[in-house]
Amino acid sequence: NAGVMQNPRHLVRRRGQEARLRCSPMKGHSHVYWYRQLPEEGLKFMVYLQKENIIDESGMPKERFSAEFPKEGPSILRIQQVVRGDSAAYFCASSQTATSTDTQYFGPGTRLTVL
Amino acid sequence: GENVEQHPSTLSVQEGDSAVIKCTYSDSASNYFPWYKQELGKGPQLIIDIRSNVGEKKDQRIAVTLNKTAKHFSLHITETQPEDSAVYFCAASPTGFQKLVFGTGTRLLVSP
């Protein structure tokens, strides 16, 4: 099964630490999206990346959050100096093309808990 | 920007009944409307989608209808089964943007 893969599935950090979330897109997909889901809420778009490029980061908080999708390896969502409000499920999705009508397939998510 | 509203927030039905979930969107330029099912502790799974050049699409017990004039779309599940119990999200994709704007979700409970 060559679905979207995310790791770790669960991540616990203390306030002030860094969190690194990884996402490997489906085979043949070169477009990656990150979404955040707060408890009992819908998913909110954070960032859209292609290989080596950030295309749309309009949903990403301006501070402490960054994302990359290097030429080789998975996409990384990095949260520096985590705070309790960062506790959420972070989902990655991938698509084959860049058209707005293309299907996005989601991974199982990383559940971040900040103590 | 696009805003998607979803109703109801919770829906309880008896096994075998039909379930209908409705969504409205604000951006008339949106042209892609997927529906996702999310089970506890899992990622959203695409169950059906519709593009703006069609008004209805069916896949076995699941159907989606789209009314572009009124800017609303609906998910219809017939002959519900307990395994249909989950949270369902609608979404819209504005033309020219590669992001999905999600509704707030509907928790569907199908009782045996």
Side-chain angles (χ1 to χ4, degrees):
Chain A
N1 183 353
V4 178
M5 298 178 65
Q6 291 188 249
N7 66 81
R9 294 293 308 276
H10 299 273
L11 183 61
V12 179
R13 286 288 179 264
R14 296 191 180 278
R15 280 179 296 168
Q17 291 184 321
E18 179 180 286
R20 282 190 180 229
L21 290 61
R22 295 175 186 77
C23 168
S24 296
M26 281 181 71
K27 189 176 181 181
H29 288 192
S30 57
H31 304 268
V32 166
Y33 314 80
W34 285 92
Y35 293 82
R36 177 163 65 174
Q37 185 176 35
L38 295 171
E40 303 299 319
E41 293 189 14
L43 289 85
K44 303 285 189 201
F45 169 80
M46 299 180 73
V47 62
Y48 160 49
L49 310 102
Q50 296 177 19
K51 285 281 186 182
E52 299 185 280
N53 284 302
I54 297 174
I55 307 301
D56 180 357
E57 54 182 349
S58 59
M60 191 104 92
K62 293 288 183 281
E63 297 178 354
R64 301 188 298 108
F65 286 72
S66 62
E68 63 176 10
F69 190 14
K71 188 176 180 182
E72 302 290 338
S75 175
I76 306 282
L77 179 68
R78 183 182 176 204
I79 311 172
Q80 295 178 289
Q81 299 175 321
V82 296
V83 300
R84 289 225 172 100
D86 296 332
S87 294
Y90 291 83
F91 292 97
C92 165
S94 72
S95 67
Q96 193 170 30
T97 72
T99 60
S100 59
T101 56
D102 198 5
T103 300
Q104 292 186 23
Y105 296 92
F106 282 80
T110 294
R111 279 146 187 86
L112 172 66
T113 301
V114 179
L115 302 177
Chain B
E2 176 66 279
N3 182 53
V4 177
E5 294 190 358
Q6 183 171 348
H7 301 280
S9 57
T10 58
L11 180 59
S12 294
V13 299
Q14 292 292 122
E15 184 177 359
D17 287 350
S18 294
V20 180
I21 303 171
K22 299 182 179 181
C23 289
T24 60
Y25 61 98
S26 61
D27 188 345
S28 56
S30 288
N31 61 351
Y32 175 61
F33 308 91
W35 285 88
Y36 288 87
K37 176 184 181 182
Q38 187 176 28
E39 296 175 322
L40 193 63
K42 296 186 178 180
Q45 180 186 8
L46 180 75
I47 54 171
I48 196 167
D49 57 12
I50 191 166
R51 291 167 177 82
S52 60
N53 56 341
V54 297
E56 184 174 356
K57 183 176 178 180
K58 236 178 184 179
D59 182 4
Q60 300 183 340
R61 297 186 296 109
I62 294 173
V64 57
T65 58
L66 171 65
N67 183 328
K68 287 225 75 180
T69 303
K71 291 190 281 189
H72 66 70
F73 56 113
S74 301
L75 177 71
H76 304 253
I77 306 174
T78 58
E79 299 172 24
T80 53
Q81 302 166 2
E83 48 266 40
D84 293 331
S85 296
V87 179
Y88 291 80
F89 290 99
C90 62
S93 179
T95 302
F97 293 90
Q98 285 74 33
K99 65 181 179 183
L100 295 174
V101 178
F102 282 84
T104 49
T106 295
R107 187 176 301 276
L108 174 65
L109 177 61
V110 181
S111 303

